[in-house]
Each structure stands twice: as structure tokens, then as C-alpha cells.
Amino acid sequence: VFQARILAQRSVGQETRYEVEVKTPYRHLFPLVSREYVWVPNTCGCPQLREGGEYLLMAQRHVNHERTLNRILVPDNGYARPWTPREDRLLREAAQHC
């Protein structure tokens, strides 16, 4: 789970790749750097992420069977919503209990 600002969007085959600036990592099981590519497995624009917007993303690490592809993926049923100060407060409070 991390806060990200969308820098760019590009369709690649049947997927969408977003270049993001990682603003605040809340919980992560894999390392994040300040700039990442986040993939969505469709080109329909779901979830709706617009360039310049800040979002709270719950993503997963996707590694293929050959272990040649390692990327951050927001699945179709993934969590992506606009970031607000309220979301930040709720996540920081939840981190104290988890």
C-alpha cells in the first residue's frame, strides 16, 4: 500500500503502464523506489487513474513462472482510490494495530 502521483500513462499491448512517483509507502513486502512503473492488466482505464492525480494504491508484486518478469501490478479487483488526508490518517492509525 502506497501513495503515488501519476506521472505518465501508456498502453502496452493489452495492458496499461503508469509511471508513478512513490510519495509515501505505508506497508510493503517488497522494496519500492521513488519512481516505479505500475501495471494494470487492461487498457479500458480501470481503475481510473489520471495523470497528475495522487492515489492510494494497493498493489502486488507479479513475477512470471520463468522469473524473467518482476513488476508491480494493480489487479482488476485491486484497490486504487484518490488520496486524501483522511486516508493518510486512517492508514497511519491502522499501522499501529497491525
Side-chain angles (χ1 to χ4, degrees), residues 2-5 20-25 32-36:
F2 59 96
Q3 175 193 357
R5 184 168 61 95
V20 303
E21 175 187 359
V22 176
K23 305 278 278 189
T24 307
L32 294 170
V33 294
S34 62
R35 292 257 177 118
E36 292 280 4

Side-chain angles (χ1 to χ4, degrees), residues 49-66:
L49 304 176
R50 63 175 179 77
E51 289 183 34
E54 290 191 17
Y55 296 89
L56 184 64
L57 301 175
M58 184 180 298
Q60 61 189 35
R61 184 176 175 194
H62 173 252
V63 180
N64 67 352
H65 296 309
E66 296 84 20

Side-chain angles (χ1 to χ4, degrees), residues 3-82:
Q3 175 193 357
R5 184 168 61 95
I6 307 299
L7 302 175
Q9 171 186 346
R10 180 176 178 210
S11 291
V12 179
Q14 297 297 315
E15 299 178 307
T16 304
R17 182 186 77 185
Y18 294 95
E19 182 179 355
V20 303
E21 175 187 359
V22 176
K23 305 278 278 189
T24 307
Y26 293 101
R27 300 217 31 170
H28 50 94
L29 301 176
F30 49 91
L32 294 170
V33 294
S34 62
R35 292 257 177 118
E36 292 280 4
Y37 287 120
V38 175
W39 292 83
V40 176
N42 62 56
T43 57
C44 70
C46 306
Q48 293 282 338
L49 304 176
R50 63 175 179 77
E51 289 183 34
E54 290 191 17
Y55 296 89
L56 184 64
L57 301 175
M58 184 180 298
Q60 61 189 35
R61 184 176 175 194
H62 173 252
V63 180
N64 67 352
H65 296 309
E66 296 84 20
R67 302 219 182 273
T68 58
L69 182 64
N70 183 352
R71 61 191 185 162
I72 299 171
L73 178 73
V74 176
D76 289 331
N77 61 349
Y79 187 86
R81 61 187 310 170

